[in-house]
């Protein structure tokens, strides 16, 4: 058995955009005897990396799926929408500087409207106050700042900060993208990031490990995206919860480094803690091509430590033969509804889904690499050579300034423009709802196909009637050219303007640019060595930024007569709890963004959205309006929900908002991992029905008392007394996953309150 411990070194690497400080773990082959004695078994790759970052191995109990680990991540990354609240919380902590290398990435606030340059300029004007806050707070507290136009956080991390063996946390659910370079990169809420930036050990429930063994070789129309689309169909949106997905087997070597990143990125859609690939020559080449030959050499020296041990065991094993894997397309409305591309047309006809493809969109953090762009461009070029342009609208989102500059230099951008496409800004754009879409009216039933990761109802364009399908950039491009879901590029023919019938040949594209990357514009601001003299101003009259006030502490008593605010029916993602799109501009202002609380959730009482009964007046109103009315009248409340509550984004606003507006507990059948932790961090009680059937016992007008809090300890259920309006009562049992530290967060009112208590 091989394992390793990590010693931290700092390298300065001269990259194309200037000098950036990277936090690099020097991997050492000496065996950690403490872990050897504890485990005495072969380790998976993810175990090597995770356990190699333990704060105190000698004191740590390690049981997959049960114990909590105290870890020391190497780095923190934050995108601009979540960085606002994370930095506001860090400012509230009173600490002078971050304890680990950290960066802010401006990618979420740029709305797609016309094209890259115009949209970027408008974003800089509209969001100037927020960008100034992030840049100045980064400078003051030692955080690097990637300016708007730099690119999408996960692509920037892959190009600059990820490396084999790193443990990185990011305030975005698709942080696992870095697993494509052999790192353990985990999405978290802002409060978790504050812990790490403050130098406090970070807690994570010891993950189970799901193994995905790949055999065979990718070829033809099949792409890396098809692997994760297939896995999503197998595991569903919650099948990976509490686990790391670890890919291995001979098929790995047929996947590019950025292709591996695509697979890891979309692992968020199965609820996985993260995903990771073993080190191989594709990673070495990528590191070298992105200016990190020193790290590649170090990884080569210790490569036997960057793969799973022979004989290691997985909690679940999935096997996929890449020789047999066919192109997939998943959706609509959920990323785990998997279909082979060959059958989607007939399935759509059967289900009444619109067949005409209105828009094809490629890019996003999931699929915006040089290889992705090249393979899509090869198809567009074939169509152009026959005199065809796209029948559907077609948009292209480069993942970074480096990708944008390189595809422009190498002619891909011209091909996209010539085929009828529009190259958007280097940002998230339509993937997260930042899309000023005008080709259909809201409520108009239509189909779009994307190479994004999520396709929840109304996510991309705020239209609940849009049927969004997720697939590879290659398939998106082919369907945009054909204009219909009924087109199978493996077998079907297109018709040229001269009447000639022709088939698209399978896509081709270089894994990496032969002439190297063009770095484009320098978009990075390194923090000064000493920022103590700098000021970070927040205007009290601002509607975009608001300094935080601490939440109230637990009063030492059971929670009595909590009003049910809403009993949610069916799927309730973080998009339903705290919508994105136009609401992104309020991510730094807790009170203003709380006006979107649960406006997308379906009320079981009337099957309506954002229409609940105010139990004080008997009248119906919007969810946030009723919550505010309850708060003004001193009425605390509870939300009741279904399975996998909080699925999707890492946005902690979905936990901050209910806490701010008077919520005390969220009671559901099951939680998504990140959201459950976010709720705990803000002093709320995330609780699950011991018997899921008890969901049916709760009525929308119930009052609920939660008892047992005076003896609140790990592993001991709480009780809920349901008081019905007819005078009857029922008692049910509620489970929780709190450990001792997390109970202290609840008692203090929040994790941030507890941090400040410990500083005294």
């Amino acid at each position: 058995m091989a394992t390793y411990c990590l010693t931290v070194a700092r390298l300065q690497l001269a990259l194309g955009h200037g000098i950036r400080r990277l936090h690099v773990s020097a991997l050492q082959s000496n065996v950690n005897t403490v872990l050897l004695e504890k485990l005495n078994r072969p380790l998976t790759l993810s175990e090597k990396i995770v356990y190699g970052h333990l704060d105190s191995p000698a004191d740590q109990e390690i049981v997959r799926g049960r114990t909590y680990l105290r870890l020391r991540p190497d780095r923190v990354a934050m995108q601009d929408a979540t960085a606002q609240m994370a930095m506001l919380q860090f400012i509230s902590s009173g600490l002078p500087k971050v304890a680990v290398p950290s960066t802010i990435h401006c990618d979420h606030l740029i709305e797609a409207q016309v094209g890259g340059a115009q949209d970027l300029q408008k974003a800089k004007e509209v969001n100037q106050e927020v960008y100034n806050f992030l840049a100045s707070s980064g400078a003051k507290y030692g955080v690097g700042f990637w300016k708007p136009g730099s690119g999408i956080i996960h692509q920037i991390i892959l190009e600059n900060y990820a490396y084999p063996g790193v443990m990185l946390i990011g305030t975005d659910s698709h942080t696992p993208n870095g697993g494509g370079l052999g790192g353990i990169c985990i999405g978290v809420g802002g409060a978790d990031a504050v812990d790490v930036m403050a130098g406090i050990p970070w807690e994570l429930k010891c993950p189970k490990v799901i193994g995905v063994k790949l055999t065979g070789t990718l070829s033809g129309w099949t792409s890396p995206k098809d692997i994760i689309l297939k896995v999503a169909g197998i595991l569903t949106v919650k099948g990976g919860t509490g686990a790391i997905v670890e890919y291995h087997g001979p098929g790995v070597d047929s996947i590019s480094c950025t292709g591996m990143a695509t697979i890891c990125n979309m692992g968020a859609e199965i609820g996985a803690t993260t995903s990771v690939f073993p080190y191989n020559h594709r990673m070495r080449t990528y590191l070298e091509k992105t200016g990190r030959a020193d790290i590649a050499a170090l990884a080569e020296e210790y490569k036997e430590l960057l793969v799973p041990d022979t004989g290691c065991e997985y909690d679940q094993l999935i096997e996929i033969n890449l020789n047999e894997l066919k192109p997939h397309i998943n959706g609509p409305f959920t990323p785990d509804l998997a279909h082979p591309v060959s059958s989607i047309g007939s399935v759509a006809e059967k289900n009444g889904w619109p067949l005409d493809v209105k828009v094809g969109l490629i890019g996003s953090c999931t699929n915006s690499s040089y290889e992705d762009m090249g393979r899509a461009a090869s198809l567009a070029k074939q169509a152009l050579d026959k005199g065809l342009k796209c029948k559907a609208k077609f948009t292209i989102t480069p993942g970074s300034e480096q990708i944008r500059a390189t595809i422009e230099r190498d002619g891909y951008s011209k091909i996209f423009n010539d085929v009828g496409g529009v190259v958007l800004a280097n940002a998230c754009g339509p993937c997260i709802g930042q899309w000023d879409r005008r080709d259909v009216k809201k409520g108009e039933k239509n189909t779009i196909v994307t190479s994004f990761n999520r396709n929840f109802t109304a996510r991309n364009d705020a239209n609940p009637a849009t049927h969004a399908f997720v697939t590879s950039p290659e398939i998106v491009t082919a369907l945009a050219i054909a204009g219909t879901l009924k087109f199978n590029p493996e077998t079907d023919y297109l018709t040229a303007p001269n009447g000639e019938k022709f088939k698209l040949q399978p896509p081709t594209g270089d894994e990496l640019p032969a002439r190297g990357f063009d770095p484009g514009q320098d978009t990075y601001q390194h923090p000064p060595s000493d920022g103590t003299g700098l000021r970070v101003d927040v205007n009290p009259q601002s509607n975009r930024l608001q300094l935080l006030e601490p939440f109230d502490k637990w009063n030492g008593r059971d929670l009595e007569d909590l009003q049910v605010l809403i009993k949610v029916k069916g799927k309730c993602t973080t998009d339903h709890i705290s919508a994105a799109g136009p609401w992104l501009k309020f991510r730094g202002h807790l009170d203003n963004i709380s006006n979107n609380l649960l406006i997308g959730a379906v009320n079981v009482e009337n099957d309506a959205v954002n229409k609940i009964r105010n139990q004080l007046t008997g009248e119906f109103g919007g969810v946030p309006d009723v919550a505010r009315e309850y708060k003004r009248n001193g009425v605390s409340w509870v939300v009741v929900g279904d399975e996998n509550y909080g699925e999707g984004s890492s946005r902690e606003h979905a936990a901050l908002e209910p806490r701010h507006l008077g919520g005390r507990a969220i009671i559901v059948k099951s939680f998504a991992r990140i959201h459950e932790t976010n709720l705990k961090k803000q002093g709320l009680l995330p609780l699950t029905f011991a018997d899921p059937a008890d969901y049916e016992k709760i009525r929308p007008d119930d009052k609920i008392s939660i008892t047992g809090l005076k003896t609140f300890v790990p592993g001991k259920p709480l009780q809920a007394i349901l008081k019905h309006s007819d005078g009857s009562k029922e008692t049910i049992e509620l489970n929780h996953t709190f450990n001792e530290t997390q109970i202290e967060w609840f008692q203090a009112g929040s994790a941030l309150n507890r941090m400040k208590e410990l500083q005294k």
Side-chain angles (χ1 to χ4, degrees), residues 182-199:
I184 292 295
C185 303
I186 302 175
V188 299
D192 280 328
V194 172
D195 280 355
V196 179
M197 291 191 292

PDB file of all heavy atoms in Angstrom, residues 182-199:
ATOM      1  N   GLY A 182      -6.592  15.730 -11.659  1.00  0.00           N
ATOM      2  CA  GLY A 182      -6.195  14.865 -10.561  1.00  0.00           C
ATOM      3  C   GLY A 182      -6.272  15.488  -9.189  1.00  0.00           C
ATOM      4  O   GLY A 182      -5.647  15.000  -8.239  1.00  0.00           O
ATOM      5  N   GLY A 183      -7.060  16.572  -9.047  1.00  0.00           N
ATOM      6  CA  GLY A 183      -7.214  17.206  -7.745  1.00  0.00           C
ATOM      7  C   GLY A 183      -8.553  16.872  -7.113  1.00  0.00           C
ATOM      8  O   GLY A 183      -9.500  16.495  -7.793  1.00  0.00           O
ATOM      9  N   ILE A 184      -8.613  17.027  -5.796  1.00  0.00           N
ATOM     10  CA  ILE A 184      -9.881  16.926  -5.085  1.00  0.00           C
ATOM     11  C   ILE A 184     -10.382  18.354  -4.905  1.00  0.00           C
ATOM     12  O   ILE A 184      -9.905  19.107  -4.057  1.00  0.00           O
ATOM     13  CB  ILE A 184      -9.717  16.222  -3.719  1.00  0.00           C
ATOM     14  CG1 ILE A 184      -9.368  14.757  -3.929  1.00  0.00           C
ATOM     15  CG2 ILE A 184     -10.991  16.354  -2.885  1.00  0.00           C
ATOM     16  CD1 ILE A 184     -10.452  13.922  -4.589  1.00  0.00           C
ATOM     17  N   CYS A 185     -11.333  18.737  -5.748  1.00  0.00           N
ATOM     18  CA  CYS A 185     -11.847  20.096  -5.794  1.00  0.00           C
ATOM     19  C   CYS A 185     -13.337  20.040  -5.479  1.00  0.00           C
ATOM     20  O   CYS A 185     -14.091  19.369  -6.179  1.00  0.00           O
ATOM     21  CB  CYS A 185     -11.592  20.716  -7.159  1.00  0.00           C
ATOM     22  SG  CYS A 185      -9.839  20.720  -7.620  1.00  0.00           S
ATOM     23  N   ILE A 186     -13.757  20.734  -4.427  1.00  0.00           N
ATOM     24  CA  ILE A 186     -15.084  20.531  -3.850  1.00  0.00           C
ATOM     25  C   ILE A 186     -15.844  21.848  -3.787  1.00  0.00           C
ATOM     26  O   ILE A 186     -15.323  22.865  -3.327  1.00  0.00           O
ATOM     27  CB  ILE A 186     -14.970  19.918  -2.441  1.00  0.00           C
ATOM     28  CG1 ILE A 186     -14.215  18.580  -2.505  1.00  0.00           C
ATOM     29  CG2 ILE A 186     -16.344  19.714  -1.814  1.00  0.00           C
ATOM     30  CD1 ILE A 186     -13.950  17.948  -1.149  1.00  0.00           C
ATOM     31  N   GLY A 187     -17.097  21.824  -4.217  1.00  0.00           N
ATOM     32  CA  GLY A 187     -17.961  22.988  -4.129  1.00  0.00           C
ATOM     33  C   GLY A 187     -18.535  23.152  -2.738  1.00  0.00           C
ATOM     34  O   GLY A 187     -18.971  22.178  -2.112  1.00  0.00           O
ATOM     35  N   VAL A 188     -18.543  24.391  -2.254  1.00  0.00           N
ATOM     36  CA  VAL A 188     -19.017  24.681  -0.890  1.00  0.00           C
ATOM     37  C   VAL A 188     -19.768  26.005  -0.890  1.00  0.00           C
ATOM     38  O   VAL A 188     -19.766  26.746  -1.867  1.00  0.00           O
ATOM     39  CB  VAL A 188     -17.843  24.775   0.106  1.00  0.00           C
ATOM     40  CG1 VAL A 188     -17.088  23.459   0.180  1.00  0.00           C
ATOM     41  CG2 VAL A 188     -16.894  25.922  -0.259  1.00  0.00           C
ATOM     42  N   GLY A 189     -20.367  26.328   0.233  1.00  0.00           N
ATOM     43  CA  GLY A 189     -20.952  27.640   0.441  1.00  0.00           C
ATOM     44  C   GLY A 189     -19.907  28.623   0.933  1.00  0.00           C
ATOM     45  O   GLY A 189     -18.802  28.244   1.325  1.00  0.00           O
ATOM     46  N   GLY A 190     -20.277  29.890   0.920  1.00  0.00           N
ATOM     47  CA  GLY A 190     -19.330  30.929   1.300  1.00  0.00           C
ATOM     48  C   GLY A 190     -18.841  30.817   2.721  1.00  0.00           C
ATOM     49  O   GLY A 190     -17.684  31.154   3.020  1.00  0.00           O
ATOM     50  N   ALA A 191     -19.684  30.352   3.642  1.00  0.00           N
ATOM     51  CA  ALA A 191     -19.254  30.232   5.031  1.00  0.00           C
ATOM     52  C   ALA A 191     -18.150  29.192   5.189  1.00  0.00           C
ATOM     53  O   ALA A 191     -17.249  29.347   6.022  1.00  0.00           O
ATOM     54  CB  ALA A 191     -20.447  29.871   5.923  1.00  0.00           C
ATOM     55  N   ASP A 192     -18.208  28.124   4.394  1.00  0.00           N
ATOM     56  CA  ASP A 192     -17.120  27.141   4.399  1.00  0.00           C
ATOM     57  C   ASP A 192     -15.833  27.782   3.902  1.00  0.00           C
ATOM     58  O   ASP A 192     -14.751  27.547   4.440  1.00  0.00           O
ATOM     59  CB  ASP A 192     -17.471  25.946   3.502  1.00  0.00           C
ATOM     60  CG  ASP A 192     -18.390  24.947   4.176  1.00  0.00           C
ATOM     61  OD1 ASP A 192     -18.300  24.791   5.397  1.00  0.00           O
ATOM     62  OD2 ASP A 192     -19.194  24.323   3.477  1.00  0.00           O
ATOM     63  N   ALA A 193     -15.946  28.589   2.849  1.00  0.00           N
ATOM     64  CA  ALA A 193     -14.772  29.274   2.322  1.00  0.00           C
ATOM     65  C   ALA A 193     -14.175  30.194   3.377  1.00  0.00           C
ATOM     66  O   ALA A 193     -12.941  30.300   3.507  1.00  0.00           O
ATOM     67  CB  ALA A 193     -15.144  30.068   1.073  1.00  0.00           C
ATOM     68  N   VAL A 194     -15.019  30.857   4.139  1.00  0.00           N
ATOM     69  CA  VAL A 194     -14.534  31.746   5.201  1.00  0.00           C
ATOM     70  C   VAL A 194     -13.740  30.954   6.234  1.00  0.00           C
ATOM     71  O   VAL A 194     -12.689  31.403   6.703  1.00  0.00           O
ATOM     72  CB  VAL A 194     -15.709  32.499   5.857  1.00  0.00           C
ATOM     73  CG1 VAL A 194     -15.240  33.265   7.094  1.00  0.00           C
ATOM     74  CG2 VAL A 194     -16.337  33.467   4.856  1.00  0.00           C
ATOM     75  N   ASP A 195     -14.209  29.779   6.591  1.00  0.00           N
ATOM     76  CA  ASP A 195     -13.463  28.932   7.532  1.00  0.00           C
ATOM     77  C   ASP A 195     -12.053  28.673   7.027  1.00  0.00           C
ATOM     78  O   ASP A 195     -11.072  28.818   7.760  1.00  0.00           O
ATOM     79  CB  ASP A 195     -14.175  27.583   7.728  1.00  0.00           C
ATOM     80  CG  ASP A 195     -15.340  27.673   8.699  1.00  0.00           C
ATOM     81  OD1 ASP A 195     -15.541  28.752   9.283  1.00  0.00           O
ATOM     82  OD2 ASP A 195     -16.043  26.661   8.861  1.00  0.00           O
ATOM     83  N   VAL A 196     -11.949  28.266   5.776  1.00  0.00           N
ATOM     84  CA  VAL A 196     -10.640  27.927   5.220  1.00  0.00           C
ATOM     85  C   VAL A 196      -9.776  29.186   5.105  1.00  0.00           C
ATOM     86  O   VAL A 196      -8.594  29.171   5.448  1.00  0.00           O
ATOM     87  CB  VAL A 196     -10.788  27.227   3.855  1.00  0.00           C
ATOM     88  CG1 VAL A 196      -9.416  26.907   3.265  1.00  0.00           C
ATOM     89  CG2 VAL A 196     -11.601  25.940   4.008  1.00  0.00           C
ATOM     90  N   MET A 197     -10.370  30.282   4.637  1.00  0.00           N
ATOM     91  CA  MET A 197      -9.611  31.523   4.534  1.00  0.00           C
ATOM     92  C   MET A 197      -9.169  32.027   5.898  1.00  0.00           C
ATOM     93  O   MET A 197      -8.159  32.723   6.020  1.00  0.00           O
ATOM     94  CB  MET A 197     -10.430  32.589   3.809  1.00  0.00           C
ATOM     95  CG  MET A 197     -10.639  32.304   2.327  1.00  0.00           C
ATOM     96  SD  MET A 197     -11.330  33.694   1.385  1.00  0.00           S
ATOM     97  CE  MET A 197     -12.978  33.824   2.056  1.00  0.00           C
ATOM     98  N   ALA A 198      -9.911  31.661   6.939  1.00  0.00           N
ATOM     99  CA  ALA A 198      -9.561  32.069   8.300  1.00  0.00           C
ATOM    100  C   ALA A 198      -8.530  31.146   8.946  1.00  0.00           C
ATOM    101  O   ALA A 198      -8.067  31.416  10.054  1.00  0.00           O
ATOM    102  CB  ALA A 198     -10.820  32.112   9.167  1.00  0.00           C
ATOM    103  N   GLY A 199      -8.176  30.082   8.264  1.00  0.00           N
ATOM    104  CA  GLY A 199      -7.198  29.158   8.821  1.00  0.00           C
ATOM    105  C   GLY A 199      -7.787  28.140   9.778  1.00  0.00           C
ATOM    106  O   GLY A 199      -7.062  27.508  10.551  1.00  0.00           O
TER     107      GLY A 199
END
